[in-house]
Amino acid sequence: MNFGTKTFRPRPPVKGAFPLDHFGECKSFKETYMRCLKDNRFDNSRCRVESKKYLECRMDRQLMAKEPFEKLGFKDLLEEPAEENKAKS
């Protein structure tokens, strides 16, 4: 007689599944990112370029949903459009 117990109902993540990289398609990007973190005392702000490349690999291989890099916090790392580059020259 457990009248006060609540049943636990697991819920899926908001963004859906995050498939594992079973075939190691992005393994080199992950290892580079992890090495960068280790070399920088796990200060992820110093490894943003590596992080972006890893996420880009995962999106290109459909291991995660495509998201704009601006939405993922990489707006400052995006290349400027060619027209803006010409205007600055």
Side-chain angles (χ1 to χ4, degrees), residues 3-77:
F3 294 107
T5 60
K6 295 181 181 180
T7 58
F8 175 73
R9 293 184 185 184
R11 290 182 282 155
V14 176
K15 292 265 185 185
F18 196 84
L20 297 175
D21 186 4
H22 292 288
F23 301 109
E25 297 174 81
C26 298
K27 186 176 181 178
S28 64
F29 293 99
K30 179 189 79 170
E31 288 174 350
T32 302
Y33 174 62
M34 295 304 291
R35 192 175 321 109
C36 179
L37 285 175
K38 186 177 179 183
D39 293 345
N40 290 288
R41 297 179 150 185
F42 296 94
D43 180 0
N44 64 344
S45 66
R46 295 178 179 223
C47 303
R48 295 183 69 239
V49 171
E50 292 82 357
S51 175
K52 179 181 174 283
K53 288 179 181 178
Y54 175 59
L55 293 174
E56 188 171 30
C57 176
R58 290 190 59 87
M59 286 189 275
D60 289 346
R61 288 159 179 80
Q62 299 176 350
L63 294 169
M64 66 180 284
K66 287 240 182 214
E67 292 280 345
F69 282 110
E70 295 90 353
K71 192 173 179 182
L72 296 174
F74 294 105
K75 185 176 184 177
D76 60 317
L77 296 180

Side-chain angles (χ1 to χ4, degrees), residues 78-89:
L78 297 177
E79 295 178 15
E80 296 179 24
E83 291 177 18
E84 287 185 21
N85 285 338
K86 289 178 185 177
K88 290 182 180 181
S89 297

